[in-house]
Amino acid sequence: MSKIDLVYLINRYFAEPYSSLVSGILLGNKIAPTSDFYLQIKQSGLLHLVVLSGSNIAILGSIMSFLTSWISRRISLLITILTVILFNIFIGFQAPLIRSSLMVTLTSVAGLLGRQSHSLYTLFLTALAMIILWPNLMGDLSFQLSFSSTLGILLFSGGYSQKKSFMHQFLMTELKTGLAAYTFTAPIIAFNFQQISLIGITSNVLVSPFIPSIMILGIIMVALGKISFILGIVPSYLLYGMISWVLFVIRISSQVPYGFIDFSR
């Protein structure tokens, strides 16, 4: 099934702007830059979630690594890599996602073989090798976002405590992962678009814990929907609640006075 078919299937489950948001988060499907909805997403500081940058690959990889942390590190690594590969197959191999997947895979392997510093070295070496092979990547926005989000997640999203409940750890991991990705991508988005959302930290705190669940439920919905439309209805209802919350945050945060600065004017 092509990306167009996947977008069409999502549109069958959701009306606008729900469908655009799900397609953006799950598939990196472009939202019309001239639309009011796109402007609201920029003003709320959540643009990194709906651009085809690979940021969501890094988030997905981090969450899968946490969910499988209770088993052996080798099996956890294999499951994480397999999930990343299946996600690429699912939405169609696209250059930004392949680059991000390569970064996530190699840094995960390095982390298995050594300490966090090995993952960081591997990330920088991988990025350097890509730039040497394809020099034009230096100015490629999706490459910059993929690298920066992966770096942020490596630096700040770790640290699991066995004294906390699983749900507490899961929510905190989702929150730290999302905030780490946003913090490291926000300066790049501000530089390239000459715009910055001052409310972005707050909106990301409110939204980040739900993004991995939205991705997982979205994949389940579409996978079941490909078999039979009826099978995807249940996950679509679960997804609807989360997307409603994200849209609420986007709408409210985009209306905050002086919450968004446009340097291009």
Side-chain angles (χ1 to χ4, degrees), residues 11-196:
N11 289 341
R12 291 185 63 193
Y13 286 110
F14 301 107
E16 291 290 351
Y18 291 82
S19 58
S20 289
L21 187 58
V22 174
S23 297
I25 294 175
L26 193 61
L27 308 174
N29 197 51
K30 289 183 179 180
I31 300 173
T34 55
S35 67
D36 292 337
F37 184 49
Y38 183 84
L39 178 60
Q40 288 180 336
I41 294 175
K42 283 202 302 182
Q43 291 174 337
S44 63
L46 297 172
L47 186 62
H48 64 290
L49 297 177
V50 295
V51 296
L52 191 62
S53 64
S55 297
N56 287 349
I57 285 285
I59 293 174
L60 181 63
S62 177
I63 293 300
M64 289 306 302
S65 179
F66 166 76
L67 290 176
T68 57
S69 60
W70 57 277
I71 55 181
S72 71
R73 294 182 67 186
R74 291 183 183 275
I75 296 178
S76 174
L77 172 64
L78 290 175
I79 293 175
T80 300
I81 293 175
L82 181 60
T83 302
V84 170
I85 293 173
L86 289 176
F87 184 77
N88 274 272
I89 295 174
F90 176 73
I91 67 172
F93 289 99
Q94 301 174 63
L97 300 185
I98 294 174
R99 289 195 295 264
S100 180
S101 299
L102 185 60
M103 291 181 189
V104 171
T105 299
L106 293 179
T107 52
S108 297
V109 172
L112 174 65
L113 299 177
R115 295 174 296 181
Q116 183 192 48
S117 58
H118 294 151
S119 296
L120 293 173
Y121 295 148
T122 302
L123 176 63
F124 279 99
L125 288 174
T126 302
L128 179 61
M130 289 181 177
I131 291 171
I132 292 174
L133 292 173
W134 302 284
N136 62 318
L137 286 181
M138 279 290 291
D140 187 278
L141 178 59
S142 65
F143 174 77
Q144 296 169 7
L145 292 174
S146 295
F147 174 81
S148 58
S149 60
T150 305
L151 176 61
I153 289 172
L154 280 177
L155 289 174
F156 295 109
S157 66
Y160 311 134
S161 173
Q162 299 300 323
K163 298 180 180 180
K164 303 293 184 179
S165 67
F166 173 81
M167 184 56 65
H168 180 274
Q169 292 187 65
F170 179 64
L171 291 175
M172 288 304 298
T173 299
E174 288 187 323
L175 178 61
K176 289 192 294 182
T177 299
L179 282 178
Y182 167 74
T183 302
F184 276 70
T185 55
I188 296 174
I189 291 176
F191 177 79
N192 282 274
F193 291 95
Q194 297 183 347
Q195 298 166 333
I196 186 169

Side-chain angles (χ1 to χ4, degrees), residues 248-261:
F248 173 77
V249 173
I250 290 174
R251 184 173 68 256
I252 297 301
S253 59
S254 66
Q255 296 173 356
V256 174
Y258 309 108
F260 180 75
I261 299 176

